[in-house]
């Protein structure tokens, strides 16, 4: 792949060239369709309770113009079994037990805890390691998925569906050809498995919108919060990210570094919890002062007019076992190799943050489900 051909300085130069070349291109956000509800599936590592992973469901569940076909769960920020349980409990709390949950990949395709430990020893610490130690030591994390610990919000009664996440994704996309938006806000393992099982899967979907592909993370780690500058969704399973981003999607939108600029602050939390509902009580109880990474991603999927500027460039993930393993890089068409598998990605650079916050606030304060399915 290209990452093995280009040196680091060359890749940095091509990244800068892509953004510089495309930044001047006039941007017009696509208008949402109005001939029926938007069909979506969110694939995520639903760490819980609370946090950006769980709260990403809000722009989907409480938008009357969206029909959520289901949620698919993948290990990443936490272990898959616990993430699924927290998600299913949240659906019970907000009265949306009609939405199916499909359990998915427990481990990355190739990457392992041992390999991540070696990477840290060779190239420096990875701030957030998710299921393999969080912000702590990777040496204390288990190699295999442990039993679900006691849940603060109570264990769910809602069970997951029988299908695996990959099979659920394939079945739903073929049941609604060219209508389903796949939103991926965690590692891309489930999507890679679906692509490998069904080579027509990506082309049969409407589009992919994913949270990740952060650029300029080295400078972000110095000038900002190093924990927030880690492109964890790509780093946890780089091979799955490469498979997914080089599949023949009709359109791909990447929500990366821009999402670091929007925080769930204490003042914003106070606005959300000023109205008392089961959901706002949940948000307030399990408040985590993090960027609204996944919430912005799902909001953009439902309303792309939130995007105020973006650039188009080909993107891939470095899968060579070097210091940039799992890091995204971009090149413009003019510099891409002939017959390159790299797909064009619509990279979001700025959004209407005020309108997003007001929209998310309104949805979070919705007392009853926006609709039943």
């Amino acid at each position: 792949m290209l990452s093995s051909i280009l040196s680091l300085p060359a890749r940095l130069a091509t990244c800068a060239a892509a953004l510089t070349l495309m930044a001047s291109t006039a941007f017009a956000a696509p208008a949402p369709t109005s001939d029926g509800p938007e069909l979506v599936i969110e694939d995520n590592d639903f760490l819980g309770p609370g946090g950006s992973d769980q709260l990403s469901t809000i722009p989907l569940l409480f938008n009357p113009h969206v029909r959520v076909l289901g949620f698919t769960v993948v290990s990443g920020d936490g272990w898959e079994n616990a993430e699924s349980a927290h998600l299913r409990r949240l659906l019970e709390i907000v009265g949306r037990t009609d939405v199916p949950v499909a359990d998915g990949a427990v481990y990355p395709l190739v990457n392992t805890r041992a390999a991540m430990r070696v990477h840290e020893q060779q190239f420096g610490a990875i701030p957030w390691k998710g299921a393999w130690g969080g912000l702590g030591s990777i040496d204390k994390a288990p190699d295999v998925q442990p039993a679900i610990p006691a849940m603060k919000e109570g264990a769910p009664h809602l069970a997951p569906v029988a299908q695996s996440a990959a099979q659920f994704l394939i079945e739903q996309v073929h049941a609604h050809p060219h209508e389903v938006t796949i939103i991926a806000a965690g590692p891309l393992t489930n999507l890679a498995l679906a692509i490998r099982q069904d080579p027509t899967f990506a082309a049969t979907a409407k589009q992919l919108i994913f949270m990740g592909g952060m650029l300029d993370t080295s400078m972000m780690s110095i000038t900002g919060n190093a924990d927030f500058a880690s492109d964890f969704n790509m780093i946890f399973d780089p091979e799955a990210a490469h498979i997914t981003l080089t599949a023949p999607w009709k359109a791909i939108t990447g929500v990366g570094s821009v999402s670091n600029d929007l925080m769930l602050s204490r003042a914003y939390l106070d606005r959300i919890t000023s109205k008392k509902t089961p959901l706002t009580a949940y948000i307030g109880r399990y408040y985590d002062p993090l960027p609204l990474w996944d919430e912005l991603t799902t909001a953009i999927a439902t309303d792309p007019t939130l995007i105020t500027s973006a650039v188009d460039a080909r993107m891939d993930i470095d899968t060579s076992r070097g210091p940039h393993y799992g890091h995204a890089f971009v090149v413009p068409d003019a510099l891409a190799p002939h017959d390159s598998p790299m797909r064009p990605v619509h990279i979001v650079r700025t959004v209407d943050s005020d309108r997003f916050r007001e929209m998310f606030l309104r949805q979070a304060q919705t007392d009853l489900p926006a609709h039943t399915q």
Side-chain angles (χ1 to χ4, degrees), residues 2 6 10-19 213 215 311-316 328-332 342 345 347:
L2 181 63
L6 294 177
R11 277 192 284 132
L12 292 177
T14 57
C15 175
L19 296 181
L215 305 171
V311 296
D312 295 311
R314 297 199 193 193
M315 178 182 289
D316 203 350
F329 62 96
V330 293
V331 296
M342 297 172 66
V345 176
I347 303 167

Side-chain angles (χ1 to χ4, degrees), residues 89-366:
R89 181 59 186 139
L90 174 61
L91 293 176
E92 291 176 345
I93 290 170
V94 301
R96 290 307 306 269
T97 56
D98 57 299
V99 181
V101 175
D103 290 349
V106 176
Y107 308 104
L109 299 182
V110 177
N111 200 17
T112 63
R113 182 176 71 95
M116 184 175 280
R117 182 196 296 113
V118 171
H119 189 279
E120 284 197 310
Q121 291 169 346
Q122 292 179 324
F123 305 114
I126 296 172
W128 174 252
K129 290 171 279 290
W132 291 334
L135 291 172
S137 171
I138 197 170
D139 294 319
K140 297 180 180 179
D143 280 313
V144 298
Q145 177 167 266
I148 302 173
M151 296 174 57
K152 298 175 183 178
E153 72 275 40
H157 299 287
L158 178 66
V161 297
Q163 301 105 314
S164 68
Q167 191 60 37
F168 181 86
L169 286 159
I170 292 168
E171 290 181 4
Q172 292 299 317
V173 162
H174 283 285
H176 310 278
H178 312 299
E179 296 182 35
V180 181
T181 293
I182 306 296
I183 308 166
L188 300 176
T189 318
N190 286 336
L191 300 190
L193 289 171
I195 291 163
R196 283 293 185 255
Q197 291 178 37
D198 175 12
T200 70
F201 165 72
T204 309
K206 179 179 179 180
Q207 62 179 326
L208 169 67
I209 298 176
F210 76 102
M211 196 276 135
M214 293 186 179
L215 305 171
D216 301 325
T217 54
S218 296
M219 184 58 70
M220 289 167 57
S221 68
I222 296 170
T223 60
N225 186 321
D227 298 340
F228 298 163
S230 176
D231 199 359
F232 175 76
N233 290 345
M234 308 296 104
I235 291 171
F236 191 73
D237 195 343
E239 288 75 19
H242 167 68
I243 290 170
T244 301
L245 294 182
T246 55
W249 304 92
K250 295 186 181 303
I252 305 175
T253 297
V255 184
S257 305
V258 63
S259 58
N260 274 320
D261 299 333
L262 294 166
M263 287 291 297
L264 181 59
S265 65
R266 174 62 66 177
Y268 186 51
L269 174 73
D270 290 343
R271 291 186 63 198
I272 292 174
T273 56
S274 64
K275 180 178 179 180
K276 305 303 179 185
T277 72
L279 177 56
T280 61
Y282 175 92
I283 297 171
R285 181 178 181 185
Y286 303 114
Y287 166 66
D288 207 350
L290 293 172
L292 295 158
W293 292 301
D294 298 357
E295 298 94 328
L296 179 62
T297 304
T298 54
I300 285 173
T302 67
D303 185 359
T305 65
L306 287 170
I307 303 171
T308 54
S309 69
V311 296
D312 295 311
R314 297 199 193 193
M315 178 182 289
D316 203 350
I317 304 300
D318 192 337
T319 57
S320 61
R321 292 285 181 163
H324 302 286
Y325 180 55
H327 288 212
F329 62 96
V330 293
V331 296
D333 282 340
L335 298 183
H338 181 65
D339 294 330
S340 169
M342 297 172 66
R343 312 291 298 183
V345 176
H346 198 56
I347 303 167
V348 179
R349 301 198 71 190
T350 61
V351 297
D352 188 337
S353 56
D354 291 338
R355 188 159 67 86
F356 163 71
R357 287 191 180 93
E358 291 306 313
M359 182 177 75
F360 185 79
L361 171 69
R362 183 175 65 255
Q363 292 166 340
Q365 292 181 336
T366 301

Side-chain angles (χ1 to χ4, degrees), residues 19-74:
L19 296 181
T20 302
L21 177 65
M22 301 304 297
S24 61
T25 302
F27 173 73
T33 58
S34 58
D35 55 351
E38 285 289 322
L39 305 183
V40 303
I41 299 173
E42 183 187 355
D43 183 84
N44 205 344
D45 49 348
F46 291 97
L47 181 68
S52 182
D53 297 323
Q54 295 286 329
L55 302 189
S56 68
T57 62
I58 292 172
L60 306 179
L61 294 173
F62 296 95
N63 186 326
H65 305 294
V66 172
R67 179 184 173 198
V68 184
L69 297 176
F71 295 109
T72 52
V73 189
V74 62

